[in-house]
Amino acid sequence: MFLASCGGGSPASEQDGGTSSGGRAGGSGGTPGSGGTPGSGGTSSSGGTSSSGGTPGSGGATGSGGTPGSGGTSSSGGAPGSGGATGSGGLVQPGSGGAGVSSGGATASGGAGASSGGSAAGGRAGAAGVGGGGVSGPGGSSGSGHGVVAAGVRWIGRVDLTTDAQHPRFSWSGTGFIARFTGTSLTAQLNNGSAMLFKPVVDTKPQAVIMAPAGQGSYVLASGLSDGMVHTVELYKQTEGAQGNAQLMGLTVGGGGALMAPPDPPERFLEILGDSITCGYGTLGNLNDSECLTTESHWDTYAAVTARTLGAELSTIATSGQGIYRNYAGDMTETMPMVWDRTLRNAATLTWDFRVAPQAVVINLGTNDISNNKGDPGMPFRDLYIGLVQAIRMKYPQALIVLMNGPLLSGNDLNTIKTHLRAVVDARKAAGDSNIEFFDGIDAQTSDKAACQYHPNPAENQIMADKLVAELRARLHW
């Protein structure tokens, strides 16, 4: 069961929900736009909003759990040894092997390696190769551009291999993996810390959301595929990191196929920091829904739409209710400066290695610092924001840093936060950082764009994405 602590919100203030702060967003009233009415399982029963830039609607939820279809464990293939994937439909057990698969058998030891080392400033490393050519980490993993190749797939966003290298864990919104394989189906064995939503994408086509209960289960990600063809499957975590971790326990390729080396990462890479708006909290829900986690969809957020439109990969660091100085509920624990460097949202001791710099970092925070009638957060907000930007600059020396406001503030609250954001940019420029800006292009949300508890629906997210895409194209010459 999904649980959210939600309380009333005043108009034009964010009521970021979730367990971290128990808050919600206020906003202007009115009826929701195209968010759709959630059906059984909590996802939108309507097709969602389809718009330019590759934003799909939300499909209905698949059944929870269940047994794999044709992708079940094959007796002919068996579990691999140290190599990784089996030759004919067997269980792919993440282990000490790599992503590449020779016909009918396991890979050689050593796993997948990057064909060229590191990335240029703000750029990308070479493609992941099989065997030599890179420094493999534990579990046959290696750097692949900005990500990690482990357990036969390339990971998107931050992933933990230090706790259990054979079974990678991931938590932040929009994190996941991409697999390439021959065969007719692909089934994932996942172990979830709580009930979660996942978005599969099969051969670039988004599929219905998967509802996965807490605990371990098998989930058919793709079936009925053309035999003898090469296919790709992406899987993205829609439930935000504060709700728990997901863990890949294995993959099953059906129809006599096998995993192949995963696709190369794109050259373009964005990192976006934010709160519930960036998580997609309640994006597919209705204005008067009592809770929003079952209609959460990072896939439909401005952040994900922006990345897809630009052909960029995305790493999202966001939590509902989160602020810079204080959270929606007024507490000052687990604010963004305290958690932004974590590999997993709730694991304070696991720090990300920042293996490759994005070309741009977008920060969409400040709504929760002032909303819920808390008033101006003042200089503490500004000072902590400057400190966060300084920390980001140390990790990403050449990235464009973009500060922006969300659409759930208006009036004096919006003007106050804008004043602080401009002051942060001015302070950094005075310190010699010229590659930073305040993007003042997001207007207050109108009432017809309100989804669950006033959060932006897909139409509002598309508006935000269109404006951010134009800004990043202009600044990055994309």
Side-chain angles (χ1 to χ4, degrees):
M1 177 178 293
F2 291 86
L3 299 176
S5 174
C6 296
S10 60
S13 63
E14 184 173 10
Q15 58 191 35
D16 272 337
T19 58
S20 63
S21 67
R24 320 173 21 165
S28 52
T31 58
S34 54
T37 302
S40 59
T43 59
S44 174
S45 58
S46 66
T49 300
S50 178
S51 51
S52 62
T55 307
S58 60
T62 65
S64 60
T67 56
S70 61
T73 304
S74 170
S75 59
S76 61
S82 61
T86 56
S88 58
L91 175 67
V92 180
Q93 183 67 34
S96 58
V101 181
S102 60
S103 175
T107 58
S109 60
S115 61
S116 65
S119 68
R124 283 289 186 272
V130 177
V135 179
S136 292
S141 67
S142 67
S144 170
H146 55 82
V148 173
V149 174
V153 298
R154 180 169 62 78
W155 291 87
I156 299 167
R158 299 180 184 182
V159 58
D160 170 38
L161 299 179
T162 62
T163 304
D164 184 350
Q166 297 184 8
H167 305 109
R169 298 190 301 166
F170 53 111
S171 93
W172 293 103
S173 299
T175 55
F177 59 82
I178 180 168
R180 183 165 60 179
F181 61 98
T182 58
T184 58
S185 66
L186 185 69
T187 300
Q189 290 77 46
L190 300 173
N191 186 21
N192 303 313
S194 66
M196 293 182 184
L197 302 173
F198 295 92
K199 184 75 170 181
V201 180
V202 179
D203 293 332
T204 73
K205 297 179 178 62
Q207 306 296 310
V209 169
I210 294 173
M211 284 192 69
Q216 191 163 331
S218 293
Y219 305 94
V220 178
L221 307 184
S223 62
L225 302 178
S226 300
D227 196 12
M229 302 286 289
V230 176
H231 302 283
T232 60
V233 168
E234 304 158 62
L235 188 70
Y236 298 97
K237 188 172 181 284
Q238 300 301 282
T239 302
E240 60 191 84
Q243 305 303 316
N245 305 323
Q247 187 173 28
L248 178 62
M249 306 305 292
L251 291 168
T252 302
V253 179
L259 283 180
M260 304 171 65
D264 301 343
E267 289 295 322
R268 297 173 179 178
F269 178 35
L270 300 175
E271 183 167 284
I272 299 186
L273 281 62
D275 50 31
S276 63
I277 299 168
T278 307
C279 291
Y281 180 78
T283 296
L284 300 180
N286 290 314
L287 178 61
N288 296 321
D289 288 347
S290 60
E291 65 85 30
C292 303
L293 288 173
T294 50
T295 54
E296 193 161 31
S297 179
H298 178 268
W299 179 266
D300 291 285
T301 63
Y302 77 94
V305 175
T306 294
R308 291 196 298 273
T309 303
L310 292 172
E313 203 153 273
L314 173 65
S315 177
T316 297
I317 308 299
T319 303
S320 288
Q322 194 154 69
I324 293 283
Y325 165 59
R326 58 192 177 191
N327 299 318
Y328 175 81
D331 62 288
M332 300 176 185
T333 60
E334 301 287 276
T335 58
M336 182 58 78
M338 300 177 185
V339 305
W340 84 279
D341 62 350
R342 295 180 184 177
T343 302
L344 304 175
R345 168 58 177 81
N346 296 334
T349 60
L350 293 178
T351 302
W352 185 238
D353 59 13
F354 301 95
R355 57 185 60 221
V356 171
Q359 286 94 346
V361 177
V362 178
I363 308 174
N364 183 357
L365 288 163
T367 301
N368 290 301
D369 292 272
I370 198 170
S371 62
N372 200 21
N373 299 313
K374 290 191 296 293
D376 185 357
M379 288 304 297
F381 170 81
R382 189 179 299 185
D383 292 342
L384 284 168
Y385 209 133
I386 292 171
L388 174 64
V389 171
Q390 288 175 327
I392 291 171
R393 177 58 72 209
M394 289 181 65
K395 297 297 184 183
Y396 305 137
Q398 298 190 43
L400 169 67
I401 299 177
V402 179
L403 280 55
M404 62 179 284
N405 58 277
L408 298 186
L409 293 177
S410 63
N412 290 335
D413 283 355
L414 177 58
N415 291 332
T416 297
I417 291 301
K418 284 185 175 183
T419 298
H420 285 307
L421 298 185
R422 291 189 182 98
V424 171
V425 171
D426 290 343
R428 288 298 302 153
K429 286 186 174 180
D433 186 350
S434 61
N435 202 17
I436 184 172
E437 68 167 7
F438 169 51
F439 172 52
D440 185 11
I442 305 301
D443 300 323
Q445 177 177 294
T446 56
S447 60
D448 62 315
K449 303 298 193 300
C452 185
Q453 299 168 9
Y454 296 99
H455 285 78
N457 70 7
E460 176 66 24
N461 275 283
Q462 184 67 52
I463 292 171
M464 295 172 63
D466 289 344
K467 293 180 177 181
L468 185 56
V469 164
E471 181 69 12
L472 292 176
R473 278 178 171 161
R475 289 299 306 267
L476 299 173
H477 306 292
W478 284 358

